[in-house]
Amino acid sequence: MSNLSTSKWMKYKLLRKSEELRRYLPETAWLKESAFWHMLNKYGQVIIKPTGSYGGHGVIRFKKTDDSHYELQDGAKKKIFRNQAQVNAYLKRKTSKSHIVQQRIHLATVNGRPFDLRVMVQRRPSSQWQVTGKLAKVAGAGFIVTNIRMSNGKVVSVEHAIKQSQLKSMSARDLLAKLDKVALKSAQQLGPSYRWVKTMGIDMAFDKEGHVWIIEVNYAPMLELFLKLKDKSIFRRIKSFHKK
């Protein structure tokens, strides 16, 4: 088994080595005061997350408001900071731990609620990576994280999410083909560094223009999410790959 870290930061650095994948990765940096302000000024909104957590835990958003204040959103709760000094004091508590800061992607939405995608990429021993299933996770009302338990969101098929979103005028076939291509390339890029991994749950997203983004890669994804889809054959297919 590899001793290489499975943190979000390490996986991001490995994915960045692929010139082909860079355009699908949100700009990401180790959380420092300078990196935070550079990215917030550049994008207007950023996400801060622990590099070792899963399930949406610890994920917060900062954004600049029109009146030059700064809004923090943690779950469904919001807090206003009135100046940079207040923000820096807050960041000082975070930067003592392992956090990254990331460009906020303006996700496509269903009924005003952002959604992202879980794409399962798996391989059998001595075989190529395959996309074995995908679903859309729609955030609960008032949340920015799409984690189903945390936000009380819902699982729908990717096709359904596309039809109900800003992307409905685009070709669903082309969007899904691009999704699969980027997911497979991601697994191929990470695979050699984590040879023991046979299942990857790749969290991906479409923005409101239909561009594909890689959010993060999970090596122990919760397969039961797929039981929430009407088509149970997708779950059975994933489980058949997952058996030792």
Side-chain angles (χ1 to χ4, degrees):
M1 187 175 285
S2 169
N3 291 320
L4 192 65
S5 166
T6 59
S7 72
K8 293 178 174 67
W9 179 239
M10 178 57 71
K11 285 179 276 196
Y12 171 79
K13 289 199 295 183
L14 289 169
L15 290 169
R16 281 276 308 170
K17 289 183 178 180
S18 165
E19 196 171 328
E20 184 182 341
L21 289 176
R22 279 178 205 161
R23 65 187 299 260
Y24 306 113
L25 290 164
E27 185 177 349
T28 304
W30 197 251
L31 180 59
K32 295 179 181 176
E33 202 174 284
S34 57
F36 171 86
W37 288 110
H38 166 76
M39 225 174 281
L40 187 64
N41 289 326
K42 184 174 179 179
Y43 297 110
Q45 296 189 35
V46 294
I47 297 290
I48 293 175
K49 58 177 81 168
T51 188
S53 72
Y54 295 96
H57 294 287
V59 177
I60 60 175
R61 180 192 67 178
F62 264 102
K63 75 172 182 178
K64 276 178 148 180
T65 63
D66 293 339
D67 53 3
S68 298
H69 292 163
Y70 305 94
E71 182 186 271
L72 162 69
Q73 181 165 355
D74 183 353
K77 296 176 183 176
K78 296 180 180 180
K79 179 180 179 180
I80 297 293
F81 293 85
R82 304 199 176 279
N83 53 53
Q84 290 194 9
Q86 288 182 354
V87 177
N88 287 338
Y90 178 88
L91 291 176
K92 193 166 284 186
R93 297 196 295 273
K94 288 286 182 188
T95 51
S96 63
K97 300 169 185 172
S98 300
H99 284 71
I100 53 178
V101 57
Q102 196 169 66
Q103 167 192 359
R104 166 86 193 284
I105 305 303
H106 295 281
L107 303 183
T109 58
V110 172
N111 297 324
R113 301 180 185 188
F115 72 90
D116 67 7
L117 313 161
R118 169 63 55 84
V119 182
M120 297 297 297
V121 186
Q122 297 175 280
R123 63 179 174 182
R124 302 188 196 278
S126 305
S127 73
Q128 300 297 310
W129 290 102
Q130 298 179 46
V131 174
T132 54
K134 45 188 173 274
L135 54 75
K137 297 175 289 172
V138 183
F143 281 79
I144 53 165
V145 295
T146 59
N147 180 269
I148 301 303
R149 286 180 181 171
M150 186 172 292
S151 75
N152 197 27
K154 64 179 180 178
V155 169
V156 298
S157 71
V158 180
E159 293 85 350
H160 176 84
I162 290 171
K163 285 177 188 173
Q164 299 297 316
S165 74
Q166 298 92 337
L167 313 178
K168 59 188 174 188
S169 62
M170 302 180 190
S171 164
R173 180 183 293 182
D174 290 349
L175 289 170
L176 294 174
K178 174 63 92 175
L179 200 64
D180 286 359
K181 180 182 176 183
V182 176
L184 286 169
K185 178 63 183 175
S186 300
Q188 290 158 5
Q189 177 70 14
L190 292 170
S193 298
Y194 302 97
R195 295 187 181 279
W196 50 274
V197 173
K198 300 292 187 290
T199 291
M200 296 187 189
I202 307 182
D203 284 334
M204 305 177 71
F206 293 119
D207 64 22
K208 293 177 181 180
E209 283 73 49
H211 182 74
V212 173
W213 294 93
I214 305 163
I215 306 300
E216 61 187 59
V217 183
N218 189 341
Y219 294 157
M222 194 171 79
L223 307 185
E224 287 69 27
L225 271 182
F226 285 86
L227 284 173
K228 296 179 181 291
L229 291 174
K230 289 179 182 177
D231 183 357
K232 307 303 180 193
S233 69
I234 299 173
F235 175 75
R236 292 194 293 271
R237 175 176 167 80
I238 292 167
K239 285 290 282 185
S240 75
F241 273 76
H242 201 63
K243 289 174 182 173
K244 293 182 180 178

